[in-house]
Amino acid sequence: MSPIIDAHAHLWLNTDTVVNGSPIHQLEPNRSRSLFFGEERQMLPPFMTDGQNTAERFLSNMDYAQVSAAVITQEFIDGLQNTYLHQVQERWPDRFFCFGMPELRKAGFLDEARSLICSGFKGIKVPAARLPQQFLTEEMMSLFLEMEVHGTILGIELMDGDAQVGQMKEVLQECPNLKVAIGHFGMVTRPEWMSQIRLAHHKNVYVESGGITWLFNDEFYPFPSAIRAIKQAADEVGMEKLMWGSDYPRTITAITYRMSYDFVTKSKELTDDEKRLFLSDNAKQFFGFSQLKELPYIKNMSE
């Protein structure tokens, strides 16, 4: 198996933020739960009691699970993490590709995005699912046009189904060379999810599976329906357009980090070549990883 790459994970120092008027923050010291849209949620594994989801902790998980590199995305519910992620990218350039994210909920974000690109971010994240359904404003299109010129990768998550797919088609028509990673596997458990997958018929559009174990959580490990969905998407756009993502750390409140990908490696429905493309080669090519670290298998005390 080639070195494994996680195409969708999160890092933060704290999650003290407000989304749609609702606070999201750690409830109290020494707890890993947060207030999430007015509801108490287990945002981190219970032993991570300081609320910090750091690169050092993730690297420990990555090394143990033999994941050589990871793509760090952003989301409004994390709070803006540009300062921290810039430090992470600078310190571990061979292990992390980090997306920057401007404050897209306020007009004038284009200048901030330009600054993020100039500072060294090679990707910009747009959580369109948390923006108004008509997210494609004149300023947003200007951002995408500049990203295309600079070779900056767009990471984007869309509302369920085809609610925003038409706008993405317009973007791809205007920006045919813009590299795009569609997140959350098109919200695979929702109706019309394949409409998002079909965007990968465009030459520079890929789809990553961040959150797929969450979306199939009711079924739980080893997620046979997730495997069937991966095969269905591959039949439509080709396995060479699909990438594995974990959505770490929220998904590991239910499963271990290794479990978030080994349901793929243990599947008998996928060939070795398909697994290699999905878990490694596609993300390596798309995000430009090189000099990937070879990680040995470390035996558990319980084995």
Side-chain angles (χ1 to χ4, degrees):
M1 178 66 71
S2 301
I4 295 172
I5 300 170
D6 186 344
H8 185 122
H10 297 264
L11 294 175
W12 62 73
L13 290 183
N14 64 74
T15 56
D16 190 6
T17 187
V18 175
V19 179
N20 296 333
S22 297
I24 300 172
H25 57 77
Q26 189 179 1
L27 283 173
E28 59 187 64
N30 303 318
R31 294 187 71 183
S32 53
R33 296 177 186 170
S34 291
L35 185 69
F36 184 80
F37 295 115
E39 183 179 18
E40 186 172 336
R41 291 285 185 92
Q42 191 73 40
M43 298 285 278
L44 293 167
F47 51 81
M48 293 171 67
T49 55
D50 60 5
Q52 293 190 343
N53 171 37
T54 65
E56 289 85 352
R57 285 174 173 165
F58 191 25
L59 284 166
S60 181
N61 271 284
M62 290 167 63
D63 289 350
Y64 171 65
Q66 296 177 280
V67 174
S68 295
V71 177
I72 307 303
T73 188
Q74 295 201 55
E75 231 273 29
F76 293 139
I77 63 173
D78 299 343
L80 297 182
Q81 300 291 332
N82 296 313
T83 300
Y84 179 54
L85 295 187
H86 189 271
Q87 295 170 2
V88 169
Q89 184 77 81
E90 290 289 304
R91 185 173 177 185
W92 295 284
D94 59 330
R95 303 299 300 274
F96 295 117
F97 176 107
C98 296
F99 278 99
M101 185 172 71
E103 181 45 273
L104 298 160
R105 295 166 293 186
K106 298 179 181 178
F109 59 77
L110 181 56
D111 285 341
E112 184 184 357
R114 288 169 175 156
S115 295
L116 291 171
I117 294 169
C118 288
S119 73
F121 282 105
K122 297 178 181 179
I124 294 293
K125 174 64 182 291
V126 175
R130 296 198 188 278
L131 294 172
Q133 182 171 336
Q134 183 61 41
F135 75 93
L136 187 56
T137 62
E138 183 177 345
E139 186 175 24
M140 189 70 78
M141 182 63 87
S142 295
L143 170 59
F144 295 152
L145 288 166
E146 291 204 20
M147 289 173 64
E148 181 185 33
V149 170
H150 290 285
T152 306
I153 295 175
L154 169 64
I156 191 165
E157 284 133 23
L158 302 173
M159 289 180 176
D160 294 1
D162 61 1
Q164 295 175 320
V165 167
Q167 294 171 77
M168 278 307 303
K169 290 179 179 178
E170 184 178 344
V171 171
L172 296 169
Q173 182 176 352
E174 293 295 319
C175 310
N177 295 313
L178 178 66
K179 294 180 69 175
V180 182
I182 305 290
H184 290 165
F185 218 66
M187 294 300 291
V188 57
T189 55
R190 311 297 197 252
E192 302 298 326
W193 67 278
M194 282 295 293
S195 65
Q196 296 190 33
I197 302 299
R198 293 187 188 101
L199 291 169
H201 283 301
H202 293 264
K203 64 177 182 177
N204 292 315
V205 179
Y206 284 57
V207 178
E208 45 90 345
S209 73
I212 198 168
T213 60
W214 152 62
L215 289 163
F216 286 102
N217 185 63
D218 289 346
E219 182 180 80
F220 206 65
Y221 187 87
F223 309 108
S225 295
I227 294 293
R228 287 192 289 272
I230 292 167
K231 287 179 64 65
Q232 183 179 348
D235 287 344
E236 177 66 33
V237 299
M239 187 63 79
E240 67 275 7
K241 284 300 195 80
L242 308 178
M243 304 180 288
W244 168 68
S246 70
D247 212 2
Y248 173 100
R250 297 182 182 98
T251 48
I252 65 164
T253 59
I255 58 175
T256 68
Y257 185 48
R258 183 182 291 273
M259 288 167 70
S260 68
Y261 76 80
D262 76 354
F263 77 95
V264 173
T265 62
K266 292 176 180 177
S267 172
K268 296 181 180 179
E269 297 185 50
L270 299 171
T271 67
D272 287 345
D273 284 345
E274 289 173 329
K275 295 173 185 178
R276 174 178 49 77
L277 289 169
F278 185 65
L279 294 170
S280 179
D281 288 6
N282 297 339
K284 180 180 180 181
Q285 178 270 325
F286 185 78
F287 291 103
F289 283 107
S290 61
Q291 306 295 323
L292 289 172
K293 187 176 183 180
E294 295 280 350
L295 297 165
Y297 177 76
I298 304 297
K299 194 173 183 179
N300 283 325
M301 283 293 290
S302 58
E303 290 184 64

PDB file of all heavy atoms in Angstrom, residues 105-119:
ATOM      1  N   ARG A 105     -18.611  35.575   5.432  1.00  0.00           N
ATOM      2  CA  ARG A 105     -19.976  36.003   5.779  1.00  0.00           C
ATOM      3  C   ARG A 105     -20.129  37.516   5.777  1.00  0.00           C
ATOM      4  O   ARG A 105     -21.217  38.033   6.020  1.00  0.00           O
ATOM      5  CB  ARG A 105     -20.351  35.432   7.151  1.00  0.00           C
ATOM      6  CG  ARG A 105     -20.441  33.905   7.169  1.00  0.00           C
ATOM      7  CD  ARG A 105     -20.475  33.334   8.563  1.00  0.00           C
ATOM      8  NE  ARG A 105     -19.222  33.549   9.266  1.00  0.00           N
ATOM      9  CZ  ARG A 105     -18.952  33.034  10.474  1.00  0.00           C
ATOM     10  NH1 ARG A 105     -19.859  32.293  11.091  1.00  0.00           N
ATOM     11  NH2 ARG A 105     -17.782  33.270  11.054  1.00  0.00           N
ATOM     12  N   LYS A 106     -19.024  38.221   5.493  1.00  0.00           N
ATOM     13  CA  LYS A 106     -19.061  39.679   5.458  1.00  0.00           C
ATOM     14  C   LYS A 106     -18.485  40.166   4.130  1.00  0.00           C
ATOM     15  O   LYS A 106     -17.492  39.631   3.645  1.00  0.00           O
ATOM     16  CB  LYS A 106     -18.262  40.270   6.620  1.00  0.00           C
ATOM     17  CG  LYS A 106     -18.801  39.912   8.003  1.00  0.00           C
ATOM     18  CD  LYS A 106     -17.940  40.503   9.100  1.00  0.00           C
ATOM     19  CE  LYS A 106     -18.461  40.135  10.480  1.00  0.00           C
ATOM     20  NZ  LYS A 106     -17.585  40.683  11.558  1.00  0.00           N
ATOM     21  N   ALA A 107     -19.105  41.183   3.566  1.00  0.00           N
ATOM     22  CA  ALA A 107     -18.587  41.760   2.329  1.00  0.00           C
ATOM     23  C   ALA A 107     -17.174  42.290   2.556  1.00  0.00           C
ATOM     24  O   ALA A 107     -16.825  42.726   3.648  1.00  0.00           O
ATOM     25  CB  ALA A 107     -19.500  42.886   1.858  1.00  0.00           C
ATOM     26  N   GLY A 108     -16.356  42.215   1.505  1.00  0.00           N
ATOM     27  CA  GLY A 108     -14.977  42.671   1.617  1.00  0.00           C
ATOM     28  C   GLY A 108     -13.985  41.556   1.871  1.00  0.00           C
ATOM     29  O   GLY A 108     -12.803  41.821   2.144  1.00  0.00           O
ATOM     30  N   PHE A 109     -14.444  40.296   1.765  1.00  0.00           N
ATOM     31  CA  PHE A 109     -13.563  39.166   2.065  1.00  0.00           C
ATOM     32  C   PHE A 109     -12.497  38.944   0.994  1.00  0.00           C
ATOM     33  O   PHE A 109     -11.517  38.242   1.230  1.00  0.00           O
ATOM     34  CB  PHE A 109     -14.368  37.883   2.259  1.00  0.00           C
ATOM     35  CG  PHE A 109     -15.213  37.481   1.070  1.00  0.00           C
ATOM     36  CD1 PHE A 109     -14.655  36.878  -0.050  1.00  0.00           C
ATOM     37  CD2 PHE A 109     -16.583  37.679   1.092  1.00  0.00           C
ATOM     38  CE1 PHE A 109     -15.429  36.500  -1.136  1.00  0.00           C
ATOM     39  CE2 PHE A 109     -17.374  37.298   0.009  1.00  0.00           C
ATOM     40  CZ  PHE A 109     -16.797  36.708  -1.101  1.00  0.00           C
ATOM     41  N   LEU A 110     -12.668  39.541  -0.192  1.00  0.00           N
ATOM     42  CA  LEU A 110     -11.717  39.297  -1.277  1.00  0.00           C
ATOM     43  C   LEU A 110     -10.318  39.766  -0.896  1.00  0.00           C
ATOM     44  O   LEU A 110      -9.332  39.068  -1.166  1.00  0.00           O
ATOM     45  CB  LEU A 110     -12.189  39.995  -2.548  1.00  0.00           C
ATOM     46  CG  LEU A 110     -11.321  39.812  -3.794  1.00  0.00           C
ATOM     47  CD1 LEU A 110     -11.128  38.345  -4.133  1.00  0.00           C
ATOM     48  CD2 LEU A 110     -11.931  40.569  -4.981  1.00  0.00           C
ATOM     49  N   ASP A 111     -10.200  40.921  -0.264  1.00  0.00           N
ATOM     50  CA  ASP A 111      -8.880  41.415   0.139  1.00  0.00           C
ATOM     51  C   ASP A 111      -8.244  40.488   1.164  1.00  0.00           C
ATOM     52  O   ASP A 111      -7.030  40.240   1.122  1.00  0.00           O
ATOM     53  CB  ASP A 111      -8.992  42.833   0.711  1.00  0.00           C
ATOM     54  CG  ASP A 111      -9.210  43.891  -0.376  1.00  0.00           C
ATOM     55  OD1 ASP A 111      -8.916  43.597  -1.545  1.00  0.00           O
ATOM     56  OD2 ASP A 111      -9.698  44.989  -0.036  1.00  0.00           O
ATOM     57  N   GLU A 112      -9.045  39.983   2.087  1.00  0.00           N
ATOM     58  CA  GLU A 112      -8.502  39.049   3.086  1.00  0.00           C
ATOM     59  C   GLU A 112      -8.028  37.771   2.413  1.00  0.00           C
ATOM     60  O   GLU A 112      -6.968  37.226   2.753  1.00  0.00           O
ATOM     61  CB  GLU A 112      -9.570  38.729   4.137  1.00  0.00           C
ATOM     62  CG  GLU A 112      -9.050  37.833   5.268  1.00  0.00           C
ATOM     63  CD  GLU A 112     -10.131  37.447   6.252  1.00  0.00           C
ATOM     64  OE1 GLU A 112     -11.287  37.913   6.115  1.00  0.00           O
ATOM     65  OE2 GLU A 112      -9.815  36.663   7.174  1.00  0.00           O
ATOM     66  N   ALA A 113      -8.803  37.281   1.446  1.00  0.00           N
ATOM     67  CA  ALA A 113      -8.399  36.077   0.722  1.00  0.00           C
ATOM     68  C   ALA A 113      -7.087  36.300  -0.018  1.00  0.00           C
ATOM     69  O   ALA A 113      -6.207  35.429  -0.051  1.00  0.00           O
ATOM     70  CB  ALA A 113      -9.502  35.660  -0.246  1.00  0.00           C
ATOM     71  N   ARG A 114      -6.938  37.481  -0.627  1.00  0.00           N
ATOM     72  CA  ARG A 114      -5.680  37.795  -1.311  1.00  0.00           C
ATOM     73  C   ARG A 114      -4.507  37.743  -0.343  1.00  0.00           C
ATOM     74  O   ARG A 114      -3.433  37.226  -0.667  1.00  0.00           O
ATOM     75  CB  ARG A 114      -5.774  39.172  -1.950  1.00  0.00           C
ATOM     76  CG  ARG A 114      -6.669  39.262  -3.177  1.00  0.00           C
ATOM     77  CD  ARG A 114      -6.922  40.698  -3.574  1.00  0.00           C
ATOM     78  NE  ARG A 114      -7.680  40.822  -4.818  1.00  0.00           N
ATOM     79  CZ  ARG A 114      -8.407  41.882  -5.128  1.00  0.00           C
ATOM     80  NH1 ARG A 114      -8.475  42.926  -4.292  1.00  0.00           N
ATOM     81  NH2 ARG A 114      -9.064  41.927  -6.266  1.00  0.00           N
ATOM     82  N   SER A 115      -4.697  38.268   0.851  1.00  0.00           N
ATOM     83  CA  SER A 115      -3.638  38.267   1.861  1.00  0.00           C
ATOM     84  C   SER A 115      -3.285  36.849   2.278  1.00  0.00           C
ATOM     85  O   SER A 115      -2.106  36.517   2.467  1.00  0.00           O
ATOM     86  CB  SER A 115      -4.064  39.084   3.089  1.00  0.00           C
ATOM     87  OG  SER A 115      -4.230  40.446   2.760  1.00  0.00           O
ATOM     88  N   LEU A 116      -4.294  35.996   2.418  1.00  0.00           N
ATOM     89  CA  LEU A 116      -4.038  34.603   2.785  1.00  0.00           C
ATOM     90  C   LEU A 116      -3.233  33.899   1.700  1.00  0.00           C
ATOM     91  O   LEU A 116      -2.295  33.145   2.002  1.00  0.00           O
ATOM     92  CB  LEU A 116      -5.363  33.876   3.025  1.00  0.00           C
ATOM     93  CG  LEU A 116      -6.153  34.295   4.263  1.00  0.00           C
ATOM     94  CD1 LEU A 116      -7.545  33.656   4.252  1.00  0.00           C
ATOM     95  CD2 LEU A 116      -5.413  33.927   5.541  1.00  0.00           C
ATOM     96  N   ILE A 117      -3.579  34.136   0.448  1.00  0.00           N
ATOM     97  CA  ILE A 117      -2.844  33.520  -0.656  1.00  0.00           C
ATOM     98  C   ILE A 117      -1.412  34.040  -0.692  1.00  0.00           C
ATOM     99  O   ILE A 117      -0.457  33.266  -0.846  1.00  0.00           O
ATOM    100  CB  ILE A 117      -3.572  33.773  -1.987  1.00  0.00           C
ATOM    101  CG1 ILE A 117      -4.924  33.058  -2.002  1.00  0.00           C
ATOM    102  CG2 ILE A 117      -2.716  33.319  -3.171  1.00  0.00           C
ATOM    103  CD1 ILE A 117      -5.826  33.447  -3.157  1.00  0.00           C
ATOM    104  N   CYS A 118      -1.251  35.340  -0.505  1.00  0.00           N
ATOM    105  CA  CYS A 118       0.098  35.927  -0.512  1.00  0.00           C
ATOM    106  C   CYS A 118       0.940  35.417   0.650  1.00  0.00           C
ATOM    107  O   CYS A 118       2.173  35.333   0.551  1.00  0.00           O
ATOM    108  CB  CYS A 118       0.012  37.452  -0.463  1.00  0.00           C
ATOM    109  SG  CYS A 118      -0.555  38.211  -1.998  1.00  0.00           S
ATOM    110  N   SER A 119       0.295  35.071   1.763  1.00  0.00           N
ATOM    111  CA  SER A 119       1.033  34.591   2.938  1.00  0.00           C
ATOM    112  C   SER A 119       1.502  33.150   2.789  1.00  0.00           C
ATOM    113  O   SER A 119       2.285  32.666   3.601  1.00  0.00           O
ATOM    114  CB  SER A 119       0.172  34.724   4.194  1.00  0.00           C
ATOM    115  OG  SER A 119      -0.869  33.750   4.218  1.00  0.00           O
TER     116      SER A 119
END
